[in-house]
Amino acid sequence: MKKVIYISSALMFAIVFVVIIVLTNLSTVISYALGKLNKGQVHISSFNIAYKKSTVVVDLGGILVKGSIEGQAKNCQLVIGIKNWLYLKDAVISDFDLIISSTKGKTRFFPVPENILQIKRGIVTYNKQRFIIDEAEIKALRSGKPFTFAIDMRNDGLFAAIHASGEGLYKGKSTEAKGQLNITGLNLNNLSDDMHGKANINGTFTYAKKNFAFEGPFEIFDYIIRDPVFKKPFTVKDAEGKVSFMYANSTIDVKISNACYQNTPLVLNLKFVKNSLARLELNMDFISIQDVKNYIALDSVTKTKFDIWKYIDDGKIKINKFAYDKKHPLYMELELKNTGISYKDMLFTDVEATLFFEENKLNISGAKGLFKTSRVYDVNGIISFSKEKDINMNGNYSFNLKDIPTLMDTGGINFENGETEGTIELKGNQDKGLKIKGTGKFSNADITRGKLSLSAKGVYKFNNDEIIFDPLTVNRGDTDMVIKGKWHKNIMDLKIKGDLDAIHMRPFIPKPSDIGGIANLDIEMQKVDDNIKIDGHISMDNLYFEFPGIVKKEKGIKSRARMTLLKEGANTRIERFLYNLDVINLDLKGNIKPDKKMDLDIAMDIFSFGKVAHLFYFSSSKAKGDLELKMSLKDIGFPLKKLPYMNGYVKINNGFLKLPWLKKPLREINLVSDFKGEAFDVKIDKLTCGKSILNSGTFHLEGFVSPRFSLYLDADAFDYDDFKTAGDFKISVINKNSLMAKASGEINLQAKKIHSGNFNGENLNIKGLLSDRRLNISELKMDVFDGNTDTYGYIDLSGDIPHIYSNSRLKRIKSGLVLKALGDKTYLAEGRSSIYGNVDSHGSTMKELISDINGNVAIYSRDGLIMKWNLLSKIFGLLNVQDVLRGKVNLSKEGLPYKRMGATFTAKNGIFFTKDFLIDSPSMVITGEGSLDIKKNKIDFDIAVSPLVTLDRTIDKIPILRNILKSKREGFFHVAYKIKGPMNDPDINFNFANSVGGRTIEVLRNILVLPEEIIESN
C-alpha cells in the first residue's frame, strides 16, 4: 500500500513537475510545435500566459512563420483547457498576412479549437489569389457535432466580396454545411473558360458529400459566352433573375429563371464539365427571329449544310426548348408567329408553326400562312437532314387564282377572279428530287387569254408537273364545255367537248364583221415533247357570221370542219382538213416543213353557185355555174422568193367570186387554169365586175426563180370605179428580194371604153414591158376628150419611192371637156386645143406625185370661144368693159371669141410657171405671167388687158408712135391686175403703176429717149 502511495505520489509529482516546466517554457514549446506542423520555423516575439477557470490563456505576439505557411501575425490568443486533459478550446488570430504555398493534400496545420475559432483583419494568399478576411468565426467544431460559422471576405480576382453564415455537421472530409451566401462581383470566367462577365448572387447554399449547391437571385453584367452553337459571342449587357448552381465532381450545373433578354422572359440551363460548356438548354418567350438568326448557328451544331434560318425572314419565334449537348443530337422545339418564310421566288407571310428538331430531323406541325392573298394551313411533315435527306409533308391550301401567275408560267392565261382549294403532299429526297401531288377544286374562276374570257369550275388532281382534269367545266353565256384529261409540261392528252358561244370569238373578229350563235366542238389534243396532235370536228350549223361585203352565213346553214393535224418537232402535217359550207366542199392535205415551206394538196368544188350566192351578197337568180379545183403545190414559202411547183387545174364555169378588197364581186367568170410544174396557163373567156367587162384574157408564166410571163387582156369596158379601193391611191415599190424583182414579161391591154369619175375614153391600147422592177410603156393610145392622145414613158419601182415619167401629146381635144373631167365648173369654152409635154414625179400617193411634178407643158388653142370663165367675169366687172368697148362684147350672152390662146409652162415641184400667157381676141388682148400651184390649188398672176386692139395695131405700124406710146408687151391703153388666191375664186386687184396712170409717165420717158433710139436704129 505504501508502495502504491509512493508510486502515485511520485507520478503526480512528476506530472506537476512537467507541467511546471511546460508552463514556464510554453513559448519555446509552442514555437517548436508550430514549426514542426509547418515544416519550418515559427518565431514568437512576445508571450503572455494566464490561468482562468481551468483554462490557460496564452497570448502570442509578433509571430513570424516560415515553411509551408509564411508570413506574420501580430496577435494570436490560444485558450487551452486543462480540466480533464490538455486540449485547445479557443483560438483567435488577427492582423495577419500569410502565404500558403503548398499543402500537399493537408488542410489542417494545427488542432482545431473545440469551442471557437476566430480569424479577423487578415490576408491569406493561396494559389496566387489574395483573400482579405475581414472576419471569420467557427463555433463548436467538434467531430460528429453540429457547428456554426460566419465569414466576411474579399478578393481581387475570383469575386469582389463574400459573406456567408450558417451551420454544419463536422465529419472531417465528409463535413456538411448549409446557410446564407452573398457574393458580389463574382468573376464568371473562373467557372468556365467559355464565359466572361460579373455576377452578384444572394441566397442559400448547401454542401454535402463534396457537392456544393446554391439557389437565389442574381444580377449579371457584361456577360459573354462563346461556343460553336453561336455564330458570334452571345452577350448580355445586364440582366437579373434567379439562379440555381450546383458543383460536383468537376461538373457545374447552372439554372437561370425569372430572367429576361430583350424584355423577353427566358429559362437557361448550362452545364460545364472541367470548365468547358457541355450542355445548354434554353426556354424563351416570343422574340425577334433576327436576334436568334444573328446568334444560333444551326448548321454548325447539326453538322449539315442545311441552314433553316436562311428561309425564315422577319417575325417572332418562341423557343419552347433548345437543348444543345455535345454528346447528343440537337433538339429544338420552336413556335413561329407573324413570320415570313421565303423559298425561291415565293414569300409566305403571317406564318405560324410549331417546329421540332431532333436527330437531324425537322418536324413541322400545324403550320399555316399567307401567300399574297392566298393561304396554306394544317401543314405537317418531316424534313430529314441525315444522309437520306427525305422530305414528307402534307397540308391544305386555298388559293386566290390571281396569285397563280406569280408561281408559274401560265402561257398567257390570266385569272381575273376565283379560288381553288385542296390538299397537297410533298415527298422525296433533296438530292434525288421531290414529288408533289394532291387534289383540288376550282370555283368561280374567271379566266382570260388575250381577248378570250371564260368561267371555269371543276376538280383536278396533280402529280408533280402533271395535272389531271376530272372534269373541268368551262362556261360563260351559252358556252358549256367539258375538259377531261391530263396536262404536263411535256405531255398533254385532253378531250374538249361541248358548246362554244360565239361571243367568245367576237373579240378576234375585226370590225365591222360580226359573229353569233353556238359552235359545237369535239376535239382531242395530244402532246408528247415537241409532238402535237389535234383531231376532231367543229359543227357550225347554229353559228352565224358576217364579213360585210364578202360573206354572210345565217343559222341553220350547214357548216362543218373536221381536221387531223400533226406537229412532229419542227414539221407540221395536215393529215386531213375537211370543210363544208352548204354545197362548198374543201379538202386540204399537206405538210409544213421546218423551213416554213409548205407542200399542199387542195381539192375544192362548188356544185352550184346559185345555192350559195346569197352567202356572198349575190342574187341567186343571177349566180349560176360551178367550180372545180384540184391542185398540188410544193415548196410554198412566204414571202415568195420563187414560185412553187404547181400541178393541177382550176375550172370555173359561169362563176362568181367576192374579193375582200373589191367593192363589187367578179361575175360570169369562165376560166380554165392548167398548171404543169414550172409553167401554167390561165385562160379567161369572160368576166364582169360592175360595169367592167372583160371579153377574153390569157396569162402564161414559166420559170420558178425568174418567172417570165405574158399577159393579154381584151375588154369591152373598163371602169376604174369598180376597182377603186378605200383611201388614197397608192403605188408601192418592188422589194429587191421579192419574186416580182426577178419577174419579167410583156403586157398588152385593150379596152373599147374607159371610165373613171368624170373621165371617159375609148379605144385604149397599152403595150408595156416589165423588167428589173421597171414597167416601160412603149405605147399608150386612146381617144379622149373628142381628140386623141399618144403617150410613152415608164414607172420605175426599183428605188425607195416610185418614179414616173411621161411624154404625152393630146391633139385636137375639146378643152372644155378636159376641165370638166378635172371637176372645174367655172370654165366653159368651145374650140379645140393641143397639149404637149414631158413630166416626171416621185411619190407613192397621188398627193405626193402632184407635189413633185417637174417638166415642161405647152397648151395651144385656135379659133375658139370662151363662154364662161369666172376669172374674166371679175376682170371685166372691174374694167367696165361695156363702156370701153361700147357694148361690142357681151361675155355673159355671146362669149369671148379668140384667135389664139395658150401658154408654155415650166413645172418645178408641183408649181407651174409661165411668162407668155396669151388670149388674142378681136376685141381685146390679154397677156399674163405668174404661177399655178396645183398642190395648194393657188394662183399668183399679173394680167394686162388691152381693150383698144384696133388702135394698138395702127400704132404698131408707125415706128415712132410705137416707141413713144407702147411697151413691147402691152397696148397703148391697158389695165393691169394682180390675181392671187384660190384658183376657183382668187382676189383681183387693180395695179395703177402698170395701167393708164403709169402710162403717162412712160410716154414722157419715151419722148426723151426717142432721138437716141432713132439714131441707134439707123
Side-chain angles (χ1 to χ4, degrees):
M1 185 66 165
K2 288 182 179 181
K3 187 177 182 179
V4 174
I5 294 173
Y6 172 77
I7 294 172
S8 299
S9 299
L11 180 60
M12 293 203 42
F13 176 79
I15 292 172
V16 171
F17 179 76
V18 172
V19 170
I20 291 172
I21 293 174
V22 171
L23 290 176
T24 55
N25 296 278
L26 187 59
S27 174
T28 303
V29 174
I30 292 174
S31 296
Y32 176 78
L34 292 176
K36 286 294 184 178
L37 291 173
N38 192 40
K39 295 182 180 181
Q41 297 177 355
V42 176
H43 175 74
I44 300 173
S45 299
S46 63
F47 172 81
N48 185 37
I49 187 170
Y51 175 76
K52 293 181 179 180
K53 297 180 180 180
S54 302
T55 61
V56 178
V57 179
V58 181
D59 290 315
L60 304 176
I63 303 171
L64 296 176
V65 181
K66 291 184 179 182
S68 297
I69 299 176
E70 292 186 358
Q72 57 85 24
K74 289 184 179 182
N75 300 299
C76 178
Q77 185 182 72
L78 303 175
V79 179
I80 302 170
I82 59 174
K83 184 176 182 180
N84 296 318
W85 185 247
L86 293 176
Y87 66 93
L88 184 61
K89 181 180 179 182
D90 300 322
V92 179
I93 304 173
S94 63
D95 302 318
F96 58 87
D97 187 353
L98 301 173
I99 299 174
I100 302 174
S101 59
S102 175
T103 63
K104 294 185 178 180
K106 292 184 179 181
T107 58
R108 291 176 56 183
F109 301 96
F110 53 85
V112 178
E114 292 186 359
N115 188 26
I116 296 175
L117 172 62
Q118 189 179 58
I119 303 173
K120 55 186 178 181
R121 296 189 305 276
I123 298 172
V124 175
T125 303
Y126 178 70
N127 281 344
K128 298 181 181 180
Q129 292 290 334
R130 189 168 177 264
F131 298 94
I132 302 172
I133 302 172
D134 294 322
E135 185 173 359
E137 184 178 85
I138 302 175
K139 292 182 179 181
L141 186 65
R142 294 189 295 272
S143 179
K145 302 295 182 179
F147 66 90
T148 62
F149 64 91
I151 184 170
D152 287 300
M153 185 170 53
R154 292 173 288 156
N155 177 258
D156 295 332
L158 299 177
F159 51 83
I162 184 171
H163 171 76
S165 63
E167 59 184 20
L169 183 64
Y170 181 62
K171 297 180 180 180
K173 293 183 178 181
S174 300
T175 299
E176 298 176 357
K178 62 181 180 179
Q180 292 289 323
L181 178 64
N182 183 295
I183 302 176
T184 59
L186 177 63
N187 189 343
L188 300 177
N189 185 238
N190 293 295
L191 300 178
S192 171
D193 295 335
D194 299 325
M195 288 196 302
H196 295 273
K198 302 290 185 178
N200 297 336
I201 62 175
N202 183 19
T204 62
F205 75 92
T206 60
Y207 177 80
K209 298 180 181 180
K210 298 183 180 181
N211 295 336
F212 178 80
F214 170 84
E215 186 173 344
F218 75 92
E219 292 179 318
I220 59 173
F221 309 94
D222 301 323
Y223 178 74
I224 299 174
I225 184 170
R226 292 181 173 87
D227 194 83
V229 72
F230 300 116
K231 293 181 180 179
K232 59 182 180 179
F234 180 74
T235 61
V236 177
K237 184 65 178 175
D238 56 73
E240 60 182 26
K242 182 179 180 182
V243 63
S244 175
F245 178 92
M246 181 174 288
Y247 174 82
N249 299 322
S250 300
T251 299
I252 299 175
D253 287 302
V254 180
K255 296 183 180 180
I256 297 175
S257 59
N258 297 337
C260 291
Y261 174 75
Q262 302 283 17
N263 297 321
T264 302
L266 62 82
V267 175
L268 178 64
N269 297 334
L270 301 172
K271 184 174 183 178
F272 301 91
V273 177
K274 295 181 180 179
N275 288 349
S276 178
L277 180 64
R279 181 176 176 82
L280 183 150
E281 286 189 15
L282 176 65
N283 301 81
M284 196 170 189
D285 207 345
F286 284 103
I287 190 173
S288 170
I289 285 180
Q290 195 60 47
D291 290 333
V292 178
K293 291 172 65 174
N294 288 341
Y295 283 105
I296 304 299
L298 286 182
D299 53 341
S300 176
V301 295
T302 58
K303 296 181 175 57
T304 67
K305 296 181 180 180
F306 180 78
D307 185 2
I308 189 175
W309 300 133
K310 74 178 182 180
Y311 299 103
I312 302 178
D313 298 327
D314 292 337
K316 298 289 185 180
I317 185 170
K318 180 179 181 183
I319 304 174
N320 291 329
K321 188 172 184 180
F322 181 93
Y324 164 64
D325 193 316
K326 291 186 176 181
K327 294 183 178 181
H328 298 90
L330 177 69
Y331 177 82
M332 290 190 300
E333 183 179 330
L334 310 174
E335 286 185 40
L336 303 179
K337 183 173 72 173
N338 301 328
T339 306
I341 294 182
S342 58
Y343 179 72
K344 294 184 178 179
D345 296 331
M346 296 184 294
L347 174 62
F348 293 89
T349 59
D350 293 333
V351 175
E352 295 183 12
T354 301
L355 308 179
F356 301 92
F357 190 96
E358 183 178 16
E359 295 183 356
N360 292 328
K361 289 192 300 184
L362 178 63
N363 191 313
I364 301 173
S365 177
K368 63 180 180 179
L370 300 178
F371 176 78
K372 296 187 178 296
T373 58
S374 304
R375 68 187 184 102
V376 293
Y377 57 97
D378 291 342
V379 177
N380 303 284
I382 296 174
I383 301 176
S384 173
F385 308 122
S386 60
K387 293 182 179 180
E388 292 76 15
K389 298 182 180 180
D390 292 330
I391 294 179
N392 187 348
M393 298 183 65
N394 59 77
N396 300 319
Y397 63 88
S398 177
F399 251 76
N400 184 340
L401 293 178
K402 291 182 180 180
D403 298 333
I404 295 293
T406 61
L407 292 176
M408 58 186 293
D409 183 4
T410 59
I413 295 176
N414 295 315
F415 297 95
E416 301 297 329
N417 198 7
E419 294 181 349
T420 179
E421 58 183 16
T423 61
I424 186 170
E425 183 178 335
L426 183 66
K427 287 185 177 181
N429 184 282
Q430 296 180 51
D431 293 332
K432 296 180 181 179
L434 301 174
K435 293 182 179 180
I436 181 171
K437 66 179 181 178
T439 62
K441 180 174 71 173
F442 282 116
S443 60
N444 303 319
D446 292 331
I447 303 171
T448 63
R449 190 179 191 279
K451 298 179 180 179
L452 181 64
S453 177
L454 294 169
S455 297
K457 61 181 180 180
V459 297
Y460 59 90
K461 300 177 182 178
F462 58 91
N463 191 342
N464 288 336
D465 294 331
E466 181 179 279
I467 299 177
I468 301 173
F469 299 108
D470 191 25
L472 179 66
T473 301
V474 178
N475 52 57
R476 178 165 291 182
D478 289 330
T479 293
D480 189 4
M481 294 189 297
V482 174
I483 301 176
K484 288 186 177 183
K486 61 182 179 180
W487 177 87
H488 187 273
K489 182 171 61 176
N490 297 318
I491 299 174
M492 178 175 62
D493 188 358
L494 296 176
K495 294 182 180 180
I496 304 172
K497 190 172 183 178
D499 295 332
L500 176 62
D501 193 335
I503 192 173
H504 303 305
M505 308 179 205
R506 194 167 291 161
F508 304 95
I509 305 298
K511 296 293 183 182
S513 303
D514 193 16
I515 190 169
I518 296 173
N520 184 267
L521 284 68
D522 190 353
I523 297 174
E524 293 185 14
M525 301 177 65
Q526 297 176 343
K527 178 180 182 293
V528 178
D529 295 327
D530 292 331
N531 300 327
I532 300 174
K533 180 180 180 180
I534 300 176
D535 183 74
H537 68 268
I538 303 174
S539 175
M540 295 169 280
D541 294 355
N542 293 320
L543 194 72
Y544 84 84
F545 53 82
E546 179 180 10
F547 297 89
I550 302 174
V551 63
K552 180 178 181 180
K553 175 194 173 298
E554 300 289 350
K555 290 182 180 180
I557 298 176
K558 179 183 176 182
S559 178
R560 298 176 184 178
R562 185 166 186 84
M563 70 197 79
T564 301
L565 307 178
L566 294 175
K567 183 178 182 298
E568 299 170 340
N571 188 72
T572 301
R573 187 167 77 253
I574 306 171
E575 285 194 347
R576 174 181 59 181
F577 183 83
L578 301 176
Y579 178 72
N580 307 107
L581 176 60
D582 205 325
V583 297
I584 301 175
N585 300 301
L586 173 66
D587 187 351
L588 177 66
K589 297 178 181 179
N591 188 38
I592 303 175
K593 303 174 185 177
D595 58 1
K596 304 303 180 183
K597 291 185 178 180
M598 297 179 288
D599 296 339
L600 298 175
D601 291 329
I602 306 172
M604 182 177 180
D605 57 68
I606 302 175
F607 296 118
S608 174
F609 281 111
K611 290 184 178 181
V612 294
H614 62 284
L615 299 175
F616 301 94
Y617 300 94
F618 212 75
S619 172
S620 59
S621 61
K622 295 181 179 181
K624 300 178 181 180
D626 49 53
L627 175 146
E628 184 180 359
L629 178 151
K630 192 170 185 179
M631 290 283 294
S632 177
L633 300 95
K634 293 184 178 180
D635 289 334
I636 305 173
F638 295 99
L640 283 175
K641 294 186 178 180
K642 70 172 187 176
L643 287 175
Y645 178 89
M646 295 178 285
N647 193 18
Y649 63 88
V650 178
K651 295 180 180 180
I652 303 177
N653 178 30
N654 196 23
F656 77 96
L657 179 65
K658 186 71 176 70
L659 298 175
W661 55 88
L662 295 181
K663 294 180 180 179
K664 300 176 182 180
L666 304 178
R667 300 180 293 112
E668 302 179 57
I669 305 173
N670 288 299
L671 177 148
V672 176
S673 298
D674 191 10
F675 298 89
K676 302 176 181 179
E678 293 190 12
F680 66 87
D681 292 283
V682 179
K683 181 179 180 183
I684 301 175
D685 289 335
K686 189 174 182 181
L687 183 150
T688 63
C689 179
K691 296 179 181 180
S692 300
I693 302 173
L694 179 65
N695 289 327
S696 64
T698 60
F699 181 77
H700 174 77
L701 183 143
E702 61 183 36
F704 281 171
V705 179
S706 300
R708 300 176 302 280
F709 68 89
S710 62
L711 173 66
Y712 172 79
L713 297 176
D714 183 9
D716 265 351
F718 175 79
D719 192 337
Y720 176 73
D721 295 342
D722 294 334
F723 303 93
K724 186 178 181 181
T725 58
D728 195 6
F729 167 82
K730 188 172 183 178
I731 303 174
S732 299
V733 298
I734 299 175
N735 189 295
K736 64 180 181 180
N737 296 319
S738 67
L739 180 63
M740 281 297 296
K742 303 173 184 178
S744 62
E746 299 177 356
I747 300 173
N748 194 328
L749 307 177
Q750 296 180 4
K752 293 180 180 179
K753 294 182 179 181
I754 301 296
H755 174 78
S756 176
N758 296 322
F759 175 84
N760 291 285
E762 295 179 346
N763 302 321
L764 172 66
N765 190 354
I766 299 176
K767 293 181 180 180
L769 177 65
L770 176 67
S771 179
D772 296 327
R773 296 186 286 166
R774 174 166 158 163
L775 179 60
N776 295 289
I777 308 297
S778 60
E779 181 179 304
L780 190 158
K781 293 182 178 182
M782 178 172 51
D783 295 335
V784 62
F785 306 132
D786 207 21
N788 62 79
T789 179
D790 188 356
T791 300
Y792 67 89
Y794 61 81
I795 303 175
D796 190 349
L797 304 176
S798 63
D800 294 333
I801 57 175
H803 178 203
I804 298 178
Y805 171 78
S806 172
N807 190 308
S808 303
R809 295 183 180 184
L810 281 79
K811 300 178 181 178
R812 301 290 297 166
I813 62 174
K814 288 185 177 181
S815 55
L817 296 178
V818 176
L819 295 176
K820 183 179 180 181
L822 296 176
D824 190 355
K825 298 180 180 179
T826 64
Y827 182 86
L828 181 63
E830 294 180 356
R832 295 190 177 272
S833 303
S834 296
I835 302 175
Y836 304 89
N838 56 84
V839 294
D840 71 351
S841 181
H842 294 79
S844 299
T845 64
M846 187 61 71
K847 183 178 180 180
E848 292 175 353
L849 290 170
I850 290 175
S851 300
D852 192 61
I853 293 178
N854 292 277
N856 299 290
V857 177
I859 303 174
Y860 184 72
S861 178
R862 299 181 68 90
D863 300 325
L865 177 64
I866 300 174
M867 302 296 295
K868 178 183 176 182
W869 195 359
N870 288 355
L871 182 64
L872 286 182
S873 297
K874 281 190 174 186
I875 294 174
F876 292 166
L878 294 174
L879 182 63
N880 199 357
V881 177
Q882 290 289 93
D883 293 339
V884 176
L885 299 180
R886 297 177 183 177
K888 292 182 180 181
V889 175
N890 191 336
L891 183 63
S892 62
K893 292 183 179 181
E894 300 176 1
L896 177 67
Y898 62 85
K899 293 182 179 180
R900 295 178 299 162
M901 181 173 67
T904 59
F905 291 91
T906 299
K908 293 182 179 180
N909 299 325
I911 303 175
F912 287 77
F913 300 91
T914 182
K915 294 183 178 181
D916 56 5
F917 174 76
L918 171 68
I919 298 178
D920 187 359
S921 169
S923 55
M924 67 178 67
V925 173
I926 301 174
T927 60
E929 64 179 32
S931 65
L932 299 174
D933 189 343
I934 60 174
K935 59 184 178 182
K936 296 181 179 179
N937 197 34
K938 290 185 178 181
I939 183 172
D940 186 357
F941 249 74
D942 292 318
I943 293 290
V945 180
S946 302
L948 303 179
V949 177
T950 304
L951 178 60
D952 287 337
R953 289 175 178 168
T954 302
I955 293 174
D956 282 340
K957 294 179 181 180
I958 303 173
I960 295 177
L961 291 178
R962 183 181 66 229
N963 288 335
I964 294 175
L965 299 178
K966 283 191 63 179
S967 68
K968 295 181 180 181
R969 294 182 59 193
E970 293 90 2
F972 166 68
F973 175 77
H974 69 275
V975 181
Y977 296 94
K978 182 67 175 180
I979 303 174
K980 192 170 185 178
M983 289 187 186
N984 293 335
D985 190 18
D987 294 329
I988 302 177
N989 297 304
F990 175 67
N991 191 339
F992 174 80
N994 293 328
S995 301
V996 178
R999 194 71 201 142
T1000 305
I1001 299 173
E1002 183 71 14
V1003 169
L1004 292 176
R1005 186 188 68 80
N1006 289 340
I1007 290 174
L1008 294 175
V1009 300
L1010 178 61
E1012 180 181 351
E1013 290 189 2
I1014 293 175
I1015 294 171
E1016 288 179 355
S1017 63
N1018 292 331

